[in-house]
């Protein structure tokens, strides 16, 4: 099968079966956010989750690529899911220092447990998950090339969809 354009993918969305709806866990620490939120409260956004650990080799490049992408696309909101690489990295003061050191300018959430993220199939750094507004799990990408592919695919979908209202009737690539 040949690759579809964003418009073709958007036109075929309704032909998919039911999708899994996910939500953020209630317990955890939030950083760089005025108030904690749930996916269900972000109905007009495309949420890109970036799984980050301070020991991750490609973290700076991944964060820079994702922040640039979100800046260029108002429909996209970033949320970094922080996974401490050691017990010391779980200290809130260390987390704030790491956030500043890595130049993260978007919301960061450190869940009390990573179990809630099992449906997102997170298993490597760097990894991203795309969640449509309202909490519909859309797609996952791992590795640096996967992150770049996700950005390229989402760019095509956004161009084909026109706005987030139309994007919610588009499909993963």
């Amino acid at each position: 099968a040949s690759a579809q354009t964003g418009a073709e993918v958007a036109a075929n969305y309704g032909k998919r079966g039911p999708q899994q709806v996910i939500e953020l866990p209630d317990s955890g620490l939030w950083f760089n956010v005025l108030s904690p939120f749930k996916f269900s409260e972000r109905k007009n956004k495309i949420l890109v989750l970036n799984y980050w650990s301070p020991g991750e080799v490609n973290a700076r490049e991944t964060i820079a690529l994702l922040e640039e992408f979100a800046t260029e696309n108002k429909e996209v909101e970033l949320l970094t899911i922080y996974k401490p690489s050691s017990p010391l990295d779980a200290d809130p003061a260390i987390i704030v220092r790491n956030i500043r050191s890595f130049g993260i300018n978007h919301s960061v959430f450190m869940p009390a447990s990573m179990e809630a993220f099992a449906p997102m199939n997170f298993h490597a750094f760097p990894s991203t998950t795309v969640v449509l507004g309202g909490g519909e799990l859309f797609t996952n990408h791992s590795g640096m090339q996967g992150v770049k592919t996700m950005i390229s695919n989402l760019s095509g979908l956004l161009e084909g969809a026109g706005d987030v209202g139309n994007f919610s009737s588009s499909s993963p690539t």
Side-chain angles (χ1 to χ4, degrees):
S2 63
Q4 294 180 317
T5 67
E8 290 169 328
V9 170
N12 290 323
Y13 175 79
K15 299 175 183 162
R16 300 189 310 152
Q19 295 297 296
Q20 184 171 8
V21 175
I22 57 171
E23 190 56 87
L24 287 170
D26 291 325
S27 58
L29 298 175
W30 285 88
F31 303 89
N32 284 359
V33 67
L34 294 175
S35 65
F37 62 84
K38 293 289 192 177
F39 294 146
S40 57
E41 299 167 350
R42 297 296 205 253
K43 293 194 186 303
N44 294 321
K45 291 288 185 179
I46 298 163
L47 296 148
V48 175
L49 280 57
N50 171 45
Y51 302 95
W52 170 56
S53 179
E56 196 260 303
V57 175
N58 295 309
R60 289 186 196 280
E61 182 181 1
T62 303
I63 291 164
L65 285 170
L66 293 173
E67 286 198 341
E68 179 182 357
F69 177 68
T71 299
E72 294 170 356
N73 297 280
K74 65 180 179 7
E75 305 92 340
V76 174
E77 181 173 348
L78 294 181
L79 173 61
T80 286
I81 306 301
Y82 180 83
K83 184 173 190 243
S85 52
S86 72
L88 179 65
D89 286 335
D91 179 296
I94 300 292
I95 296 169
V96 169
R97 187 184 74 208
N98 285 334
I99 288 169
R100 289 180 181 152
S101 169
F102 279 75
I104 297 175
N105 297 310
H106 58 271
S107 301
V108 176
F109 178 64
M110 185 181 78
S113 166
M114 291 298 284
E115 286 179 35
F117 296 94
M120 296 162 214
N121 204 22
F122 160 69
H123 61 276
F125 291 107
S127 286
T128 54
T129 296
V130 177
V131 178
L132 297 183
E136 182 180 328
L137 180 59
F138 194 63
T139 187
N140 296 298
H141 294 275
S142 294
M144 200 61 218
Q145 188 56 47
V147 171
K148 291 175 182 177
T149 298
M150 182 274 307
I151 290 171
S152 175
N153 290 349
L154 267 183
S155 293
L157 285 171
L158 287 166
E159 287 172 17
D163 64 39
V164 89
N166 292 329
F167 185 79
S168 65
S169 11
S170 61
S171 146
T173 55

